[in-house]
Amino acid sequence: MYKKKLAILGSTGSIGTQTLRVAEEHGDMFEVRVLTANNNVELLIEQARKFNPDAVVIANEDKYEQLRDALADTDVKVYAGSSALCDVVTMPSVDIVVSALVGFAGLLPTIEAIKANKKIALANKETLVVAGELITQLAIDNHVPILPVDSEHSAIFQCLVGEGDNAVDKILLTASGGPFRKMSKDELKGVVAAQALKHPTWSMGSKITIDSATLMNKGFEMIEAKWLFGVEPDKIEVVVHPQSIIHSAVQFADGAVKAQMGVPDMRMPIQYALTYPDRKPLSGERMDLFRLSVLTFEKPDTDRFPCLALAYEAAHRKGNMACIMNAANEVANLAFRRDEISYPILCDVIAETMQKVQYVALPSLDVYLQTDKEARRYAASLIH
Ligand code: NDP
Ligand code: MG
């Protein structure tokens, strides 16, 4: 059996490690050819020894020697720096690039991978938030599929399998509501990162966990869905569903609604992205409706969670607005994680940056890169 050859960008993260668990469970189906990390050199060494890839990259160049020395007795090629990420994705031995970096750093390697005609398994939603139009066009031009890893988008994708050209009436994008769901506006003034990092249903990296608490993650996912499925923002409705059992749903022209359900386990959407259109066995818990007994649904509250409204605004304004929003969010999210700013200030920093940084209606890649720098600088100036 032909083994699909994987490059896993961000292999030391939450998605990266779960992708490796899938690859390990299906050693007959996958070979790991490239692994990359930012700082976590110890785990990268351990992964390289276990999976024996062709190449590893550590983005932080200060860690290069440690990595090189630790793998000196192996055949693994060792590279450092963010430009090396853009090189390894083009290696002829790679079939699928799993983009599981966090933040804007995922953009350029994903572009290079698409240009090199590699299939993309996309976890890094920021890539589509920042430059969705450019990325989707590039994927069409290069006949490259972008397979969603994000659980909601995998759910929507699974609902659309077999639907051919049938138009989508509406996407129901589910959200757990995060750890702050029941808090009043007053209580939200005092929340700190440690509280946000206790996500009720999913265990994820720290940046996305904060984004989930602020609902910026759901805003990002709305934009991600717009680009992946060609559906306008007005037809994407966010539904708060605290049990995270319905991973999202699609309503069609005849009123039929298809939903994809399952226990919250990211290995399932990861594996589906890697095996599509096939379904393969996967170990783990199974959904038990009798144990669940109740599924509940609420409307999101954009008064307490303004980041969701900002994302709809960015999607409507188009151009580089979502890129501005993403950059401001990366700065504010990090400052919140470091306990430098409160939750209301986080929201204000993003809103103000969106008002002040120069809007460009038809951005090129250079404009996105420039916008990202400028928006980060502006957002940081509001904090420090
Ligand atoms: P983590 O923080 O757990 O992992 C991020 C990975 O990217 C790590 O390997 C990290 O290396 C590496 N990395 C971080 N910054 C850089 C950089 N500047 N340059 C190069 N490498 C970098 O994140 P997650 O796995 O949680 O999330 C990854 C992406 O997937 C995000 O875009 C997120 O929104 C998305 N996603 C995540 C889900 C989840 O369940 N976790 C669900 C759906 C989407 P190091 O370990 O060395 O820091
Ligand atoms: Mg998600």
Side-chain angles (χ1 to χ4, degrees), residues 232-252:
E232 285 307 310
D234 294 341
K235 291 187 164 190
I236 306 173
E237 184 173 9
V238 173
V239 180
V240 177
H241 165 47
Q243 297 81 18
S244 299
I245 294 296
I246 296 184
H247 297 318
S248 278
V250 178
Q251 182 178 305
F252 295 93

Side-chain angles (χ1 to χ4, degrees), residues 10 40 62 82 91 114 179 194 209 215 236 287 323 335:
N40 193 345
D62 295 343
S82 40
M91 282 174 31
I114 297 173
T209 305
L215 291 202
I236 306 173
M287 189 179 77
C323 175

Side-chain angles (χ1 to χ4, degrees), residues 35-57:
L35 295 168
T36 84
N38 192 27
N39 282 305
N40 193 345
V41 73
E42 289 81 11
L43 182 56
L44 187 59
I45 292 164
E46 197 185 309
Q47 293 177 341
R49 290 203 165 274
K50 184 166 179 180
F51 290 93
N52 194 30
D54 297 337
V56 293
V57 179

Side-chain angles (χ1 to χ4, degrees), residues 16 24 62-63 79 83 113 121 145 167 175 179 187 191 226 247 268 270 275 277 291 300 314 346 351 358 361:
E24 202 178 355
D62 295 343
K63 310 262 174 149
Y79 303 102
S83 63
E187 286 171 320
V191 291
K226 164 187 147 109
H247 297 318
M268 200 191 294
I270 291 169
T275 62
R291 252 178 54 209
L346 173 147
Q358 194 184 356

Side-chain angles (χ1 to χ4, degrees), residues 9-18 36-41 43 58-60 82 85 99-106 122-127 149-152 202-209 211 217 220-221 224 266 337:
L9 307 183
S11 63
T12 51
S14 162
I15 294 291
T17 51
Q18 293 182 86
T36 84
N38 192 27
N39 282 305
N40 193 345
V41 73
L43 182 56
I58 186 86
N60 180 349
S82 40
L85 293 173
S99 177
L101 299 179
V102 65
F104 187 85
L122 189 74
N124 178 258
K125 63 193 88 187
E126 292 91 340
T127 288
V149 166
D150 213 343
S151 60
E152 295 78 1
W202 297 99
S203 159
M204 310 175 286
S206 57
K207 192 249 178 192
I208 184 178
T209 305
D211 286 342
N217 181 54
F220 282 175
E221 292 186 352
E224 186 184 8
M266 283 308 296
R337 268 184 277 160

Side-chain angles (χ1 to χ4, degrees), residues 134-278:
L134 186 149
I135 292 288
T136 43
Q137 192 55 51
L138 200 61
I140 291 167
D141 294 346
N142 288 278
H143 310 287
V144 163
I146 300 181
L147 298 151
V149 166
D150 213 343
S151 60
E152 295 78 1
H153 303 76
S154 176
I156 296 162
F157 184 58
Q158 291 177 58
C159 293
L160 292 174
V161 168
E163 290 294 340
D165 291 334
N166 289 334
V168 170
D169 212 28
K170 191 170 168 183
I171 285 178
L172 299 163
L173 184 69
T174 52
S176 75
F180 300 161
R181 178 171 64 93
K182 288 187 173 160
M183 288 188 181
S184 68
K185 231 176 158 177
D186 252 6
E187 286 171 320
L188 283 171
K189 285 183 188 157
V191 291
V192 293
Q195 290 165 277
L197 290 170
K198 286 190 209 121
H199 194 278
T201 46
W202 297 99
S203 159
M204 310 175 286
S206 57
K207 192 249 178 192
I208 184 178
T209 305
I210 300 295
D211 286 342
S212 299
T214 64
L215 291 202
M216 182 52 97
N217 181 54
K218 212 45 61 178
F220 282 175
E221 292 186 352
M222 178 273 296
I223 297 173
E224 186 184 8
K226 164 187 147 109
W227 292 117
L228 283 173
F229 307 112
V231 175
E232 285 307 310
D234 294 341
K235 291 187 164 190
I236 306 173
E237 184 173 9
V238 173
V239 180
V240 177
H241 165 47
Q243 297 81 18
S244 299
I245 294 296
I246 296 184
H247 297 318
S248 278
V250 178
Q251 182 178 305
F252 295 93
D254 57 357
V257 176
K258 279 167 87 173
Q260 189 263 329
M261 302 164 81
V263 294
D265 180 346
M266 283 308 296
R267 291 177 310 134
M268 200 191 294
I270 291 169
Q271 176 167 302
Y272 191 67
L274 299 180
T275 62
Y276 170 82
D278 299 333

